Amino acid sequence: MRFLHTSDWHLGRSFHRVGLLDAQAAFLDHLVGTVREQRIDAVLVAGDIHDRAVPPLAAVELYDDALHRLAALGVPVVMISGNHDSARRLGVGAGLMERAGVHLRTDPRGIGTPVLLSDEHGEVACYGLPYLEPALVRDLLGAGKAGHAAVLGAAMDRVRADLATRPAGTRSVVLAHAFVSGGAASDSERDITVGGVAAVPAGVFDGVDYAALGHLHGCQAITERVRYSGSPLAYSFSEAGHRKSMWLVDLGAGGRLTAERIDCPVPRPLARIRGRLGELLDDPGLEAAEDAWVEATLTDPVRPPEPMARLGRRFPHLLTLVFEPDRAPDDPRASYAERLGGRTDQQIAEDFIGHVRGGGPDERERAVLRDALDTVRAGDTLRETAR
């Protein structure tokens, strides 16, 4: 059976105030064309279809059009909700859509009920694990502990329990939206850290033939059978080195698996340039960046006059300007943001306590801080879902 694995469309998202709807439409055209040309048997979409819980109308129309076109080809689509999606909104009409071959899996209660597909080698059971917020699904799934590893492990126990009831030789696929250990993150993914630990081990997917993952925006293979498709478009300059693609996966008899990448269309390349203003304006080696979306980092010790306008004359698609002067770490002019760079909310809170009290928190106080941050995050998720 031939699958096309994709995820993280983020329909409705912009790139530093540049609208991407046309680029997203071009990607969906490419996806439908690939399904037709490569004779795909099923499309797997591993979450974050929309960029926010209440997407703009134009994004919903793109989504609706893509599903109509795939349904017209007679190709099943298995789709889960991600942490950016409103699971309840995305799941509206799931029962009716299933009749057209669009299988939405947004309710954790349906984790153990697969979409059954078949080919000449028998059945393939496709299980959809929507994004699982630990604070909201821990009791539902009977997870022994809070945290992503615990709830995803409990979800996979349900998958394996159902799979054990299937005929011998039944192949299996799982869609999940999570941060799996060993994956390379980028700046454009929303933090899903809970209790200080966001990552789950790849071994949680043991026992299935293929795990189609979403959340991380770089296409990557954690293991031969556990893969991220990545986002089809770049959504941050940290993705400048990404090759945007989808996985074309062939799952043969006995779970034999092969996978290859199908490149996605690139609306405009990304370039990150760094140096003093004069160097960036004169360097002939930066010619390729003149047609790219550009992030420029200036290292002049003192901010030069009108840097955005001056750089913009050479780089007309300059989108963002960062000022990182060459200074010693103990220079009093170093900004507060620079001092906090790379630190988690937990670390910042602990540092604040240490600053105002003259000593850092003990283990009991650290646990209270973790619980408070988890509660705030769970509340944010509930409010976003209720919008």
Side-chain angles (χ1 to χ4, degrees):
M1 183 164 292
R2 174 165 284 190
F3 297 100
L4 188 64
H5 168 199
T6 177
S7 73
D8 295 274
W9 296 353
H10 289 280
L11 299 179
R13 189 165 185 161
S14 60
F15 185 76
H16 293 274
R17 301 179 302 281
V18 175
L20 291 178
L21 277 174
D22 287 346
Q24 290 171 335
F27 159 69
L28 292 173
D29 287 343
H30 171 69
L31 182 146
V32 173
T34 300
V35 169
R36 184 187 303 110
E37 294 161 12
Q38 296 290 339
R39 299 185 178 182
I40 300 299
D41 295 307
V43 177
L44 311 177
V45 190
D48 281 355
I49 288 84
H50 297 295
D51 189 56
R52 52 184 186 267
V54 185
L57 178 59
V60 177
E61 289 173 340
L62 273 183
Y63 162 77
D64 180 66
D65 178 67
L67 293 188
H68 272 85
R69 293 162 71 188
L70 291 169
L73 292 175
V75 176
V77 178
V78 184
M79 178 180 290
I80 63 172
S81 50
N83 61 301
H84 278 250
D85 299 307
S86 167
R88 293 182 65 182
R89 282 189 171 86
L90 190 66
V92 170
L96 288 173
M97 295 172 73
E98 191 134 9
R99 299 179 188 178
V102 177
H103 307 275
L104 289 169
R105 293 294 184 262
T106 63
D107 188 340
R109 289 172 295 186
I111 282 172
T113 303
V115 177
L116 294 175
L117 307 173
S118 61
D119 62 8
E120 66 272 22
H121 303 300
E123 286 191 333
V124 178
C126 293
Y127 298 88
L129 279 56
Y131 171 67
L132 302 172
E133 180 67 45
L136 302 180
V137 301
R138 172 186 175 182
D139 293 339
L140 173 66
L141 296 179
K145 300 178 181 178
H148 287 276
V151 298
L152 197 54
M156 284 301 302
D157 286 343
R158 293 192 176 194
V159 168
R160 282 184 283 264
D162 179 83
L163 190 57
T165 69
R166 303 284 165 186
T170 299
R171 290 157 294 162
S172 55
V173 171
V174 167
L175 289 78
H177 197 87
F179 186 177
V180 175
S181 301
S186 58
D187 294 342
S188 54
E189 299 118 7
R190 182 181 295 168
D191 182 22
I192 59 172
T193 301
V194 173
V197 179
V200 300
V204 75
F205 299 107
D206 287 351
V208 297
D209 294 305
Y210 185 69
L213 302 183
H215 181 58
L216 298 184
H217 288 183
C219 182
Q220 52 199 296
I222 305 301
T223 70
E224 180 189 6
R225 297 182 181 273
V226 179
R227 297 172 185 259
Y228 283 99
S229 68
S231 60
L233 298 169
Y235 293 116
S236 73
F237 277 102
S238 66
E239 300 168 58
H242 287 189
R243 172 188 162 196
K244 295 300 183 181
S245 56
M246 303 175 283
W247 285 112
L248 191 155
V249 178
D250 283 304
L251 186 60
R256 178 178 52 81
L257 184 142
T258 61
E260 64 175 286
R261 293 173 71 172
I262 302 291
D263 288 333
C264 297
V266 178
R268 189 179 295 279
L270 306 186
R272 307 180 93 174
I273 60 177
R274 180 185 182 91
R276 299 194 177 194
L277 180 60
E279 297 168 350
L280 299 183
L281 292 175
D282 297 334
D283 186 352
L286 297 179
E287 183 177 347
E290 294 174 4
D291 192 45
W293 281 323
V294 174
E295 176 193 72
T297 300
L298 292 183
T299 60
D300 302 70
V302 177
R303 185 186 296 268
E306 300 183 333
M308 195 76 174
R310 293 163 70 184
L311 282 169
R313 285 192 282 272
R314 181 179 183 189
F315 306 105
H317 304 290
L318 174 67
L319 297 183
T320 181
L321 180 63
V322 181
F323 186 54
E324 293 184 2
D326 289 329
R327 293 172 179 161
D330 57 352
D331 190 314
R333 293 176 295 178
S335 73
Y336 180 69
E338 289 172 323
R339 295 198 299 273
L340 293 184
R343 301 184 68 74
T344 66
D345 291 343
Q346 178 85 16
Q347 291 170 325
I348 293 170
E350 291 180 11
D351 287 349
F352 175 77
I353 291 173
H355 174 72
V356 299
R357 198 171 64 182
D362 57 27
E363 285 304 316
R364 182 186 64 80
E365 292 168 329
R366 288 191 180 96
V368 170
L369 279 174
R370 279 194 295 272
D371 288 344
L373 291 169
D374 291 352
T375 299
V376 169
R377 172 164 178 74
D380 287 344
T381 301
L382 282 170
R383 283 189 291 274
E384 186 171 89
T385 301
R387 286 176 188 166

